[in-house]
Amino acid sequence: VLINHKSMKHVFLFLLFTLSLSVSAQFRFGAKIAVTQNDLYLNPDSSVLEAPSIIRAKGGLVANYSFSKLFSIQSELNYNILGKVYTIEGSHHTNLLGEELTDYLTIKTRLHYVELPLIAKFSLFSSKKVTLDIGGGVFAGYCLSAKQQINNESFQNTTSDYTKFNAGYTMSLSLSVMKKRLFFEMGGSRGLVNIHSGSDAKINTIQSYLAVGYYLFKGKKK
């Protein structure tokens, strides 16, 4: 999927505008924190020998406006850390005994993003105190910085190796309790933009998460 930078900027500004509208409505506004499992989809990845996903955290602000008991729109402003740890073959050499040896490189990548998801939520069950919602929508992200570590060396700044913008889709399942103030959420996202600035490989973001949040303010519809 090809998305140019100009289109991504428009998506990013639209999500920011939607977030401001939801906050001004003052229906439900809160915060959440999540434990995330992250991966970067590499294409091609023929040189990668091992690539386990990494566990990180993200958090941010949540604004939700309900149009009815069954439908609401949620916008968020999140700080998110993405990345990957992978092992590739390095140089080949022969030791004193004539044995051929291969050096392996372990590479750790850390990507720091500000993200703006926009999610449509549909209630599977709703009462005065409990709600079970399923959601789906889109997100736009802006890369603040990127760092990379090879073996045990210090992290190096690799921000120029990645594009500034990312965008994709997100899905979630959430349970709200305590008069719909405390909520638990599980979900995931998939980036559709090639975030690698080079031409030798394509990289897309993948993330799943478990989150807990609390609506600090619950206003009334006008």
Side-chain angles (χ1 to χ4, degrees), residues 51-216:
S53 56
I54 63 172
I55 304 298
R56 286 292 179 267
K58 71 175 180 179
L61 303 176
V62 179
N64 182 283
Y65 187 86
S66 295
F67 292 90
S68 69
K69 292 182 178 180
L70 300 178
F71 176 69
S72 66
I73 292 292
Q74 181 166 298
S75 53
E76 303 176 7
L77 176 62
N78 295 323
Y79 173 71
N80 196 6
I81 302 176
L82 300 166
K84 190 181 185 71
V85 179
Y86 53 96
T87 301
I88 62 174
E89 285 190 6
S91 59
H92 302 270
H93 60 89
T94 304
N95 63 14
L96 296 176
L97 300 177
E99 299 172 330
E100 292 187 1
L101 302 176
T102 302
D103 292 329
Y104 296 94
L105 301 177
T106 299
I107 301 175
K108 299 178 182 179
T109 302
R110 300 289 184 270
L111 306 173
H112 299 260
Y113 276 90
V114 171
E115 291 182 345
L116 290 169
L118 179 62
I119 304 168
K121 304 186 76 172
F122 301 88
S123 295
L124 302 177
F125 172 81
S126 181
S127 68
K128 292 183 178 181
K129 296 183 178 182
V130 179
T131 300
L132 179 64
D133 295 323
I134 186 171
V138 297
F139 75 90
Y142 181 83
C143 183
L144 300 174
S145 66
K147 294 183 179 181
Q148 180 175 282
Q149 181 189 48
I150 299 178
N151 292 337
N152 294 322
E153 299 177 0
S154 59
F155 276 92
Q156 302 296 320
N157 190 335
T158 56
T159 305
S160 60
D161 293 342
Y162 299 90
T163 60
K164 283 295 184 182
F165 290 94
N166 187 24
Y169 63 87
T170 181
M171 300 183 69
S172 66
L173 179 67
S174 60
L175 175 67
S176 301
V177 296
M178 290 177 59
K179 296 184 178 180
K180 304 180 183 181
R181 286 190 176 273
L182 178 67
F183 64 91
F184 303 92
E185 185 175 276
M186 61 182 297
S189 65
R190 174 69 154 81
L192 299 178
V193 176
N194 175 21
I195 62 172
H196 190 243
S197 58
S199 58
D200 56 332
K202 294 182 179 180
I203 300 178
N204 298 96
T205 60
I206 302 174
Q207 184 178 77
S208 59
Y209 68 88
L210 293 173
V212 60
Y214 190 80
Y215 289 112
L216 305 173

